Amino acid sequence: MATLILVRHGRSTANTAGLLAGWTPGVTLDEHGAAQAAALPGRLAAVPLAAAVTSPLERCAETLAPLLAARPGLALHTDERIGECHYGDWSGRKLSELSEEPLMRVVQQHPSAAAFPGGESMRAMQARAVDAVRDWNARIEEEHGSDAVYLMCSHGDIIKSLVADALGMHLDLFQRIHVDPCSVTAIRYTPTRPFLLRLGDTGDFAALAPRDSSAPDAAAAEDAAEAGGEAVVGGGAGAV
C-alpha cells in the first residue's frame, strides 16, 4: 500500500500568540512559518510524490504553496476530514486561559471522553481523519501503484491521532506524541500493519535545547505545560 507523508503546517500567527486556532478564519503563517514552508521543497526533493492532500485551512495552503510551485505537475486535493479539530467555543481563546477549564484535564488524561462545547469530540476527530487516510491510501494505490508516496498537510492533533492509530495506541495515549510546526511524519501502510518511519522530523534538533529567558510568552507557556506533563492542545509553536 501507499506511503503517507504527513506535514504539519508551518508556525502560525495563532501559535506565536498562544491561541487555540481551530477553524478560526484569518490564521496565517508568521514570518518563521513562511520560512519553514519555503524550506519544505528542499527537504522533500528526493521523494517522488504522487499527490498532495491538504486541510482546507489557510495555514496549510500557505505551507504547501512553495512545494507546489517547485512541482507544477503535482496534483493537489482538499479534504475537510483532515481539517483541524472543531474546538467550538474554545476556538480563538488563549491556551493559558483554557488550562484552567475543568475539561482540559479530560483532554489531557482521557481524550477519548473529551467533547468540546459547541464543537466535536476527539473521538470523532480521529475517526474522520483515519477514514480519510484509508480512503486516500486505496485511491493512491489504485491510481499510482503500491509503491506510491503521497503527502497530507494537516494539523497537530490530527497528525497525532493518525500516528496513534498507526501504532495501535488508544486515543487516550495520543497526548504522549508531539509534532512541531512543518515537521514531517511518515507512515508506510501495508495489508497487515502500518510502519512509522519518521515522527515529527524537522531536520534539526533546536527544539530539544532549553529555551532562554527571552523566549516569547507562548513558548514559555509550552515549556511550563510540558514540564508539568501536559501536552499543548492543537500543537505547540516549536523552536524559536
Side-chain angles (χ1 to χ4, degrees), residues 24-192:
T24 305
V27 176
T28 61
L29 299 185
D30 67 6
E31 184 176 352
H32 183 66
Q36 290 175 322
L40 189 60
R43 293 170 60 199
L44 297 177
V47 183
L49 295 174
V53 186
T54 184
S55 155
L57 295 174
E58 187 173 358
R59 53 196 183 271
C60 288
E62 289 181 336
T63 298
L64 287 188
L67 180 66
L68 295 171
R71 302 192 190 200
L74 182 62
L76 178 66
H77 309 273
T78 300
D79 194 326
E80 290 198 358
R81 294 176 295 177
I82 62 166
E84 180 63 285
C85 184
H86 291 277
Y87 296 116
D89 298 343
W90 279 28
S91 299
R93 293 181 59 188
K94 283 191 170 293
L95 288 163
S96 58
E97 297 173 359
L98 292 171
S99 65
E100 304 300 322
E101 295 279 353
L103 178 60
M104 183 59 84
R105 184 176 181 184
V106 183
V107 170
Q108 292 289 334
Q109 299 183 17
H110 191 19
S112 66
F116 295 98
E120 69 179 333
S121 69
M122 301 198 91
R123 294 190 319 279
M125 173 200 75
Q126 183 187 42
R128 63 174 164 86
V130 169
D131 283 347
V133 167
R134 297 294 189 271
D135 289 347
W136 280 104
N137 282 349
R139 176 174 173 176
I140 295 296
E141 181 174 6
E142 180 180 356
E143 295 179 359
H144 301 279
S146 59
D147 292 331
V149 181
Y150 74 106
L151 179 148
M152 280 186 170
C153 187
S154 188
H155 307 267
D157 280 349
I158 295 289
I159 294 172
K160 288 164 56 177
S161 72
L162 289 170
V163 170
D165 172 75
L167 292 176
M169 291 170 55
H170 196 283
L171 183 61
D172 285 344
L173 301 177
F174 100 127
Q175 297 290 25
R176 301 182 183 196
I177 300 166
H178 183 84
V179 290
D180 275 335
C182 222
S183 62
V184 172
T185 294
I187 303 170
R188 179 173 294 140
Y189 289 87
T190 78
T192 56

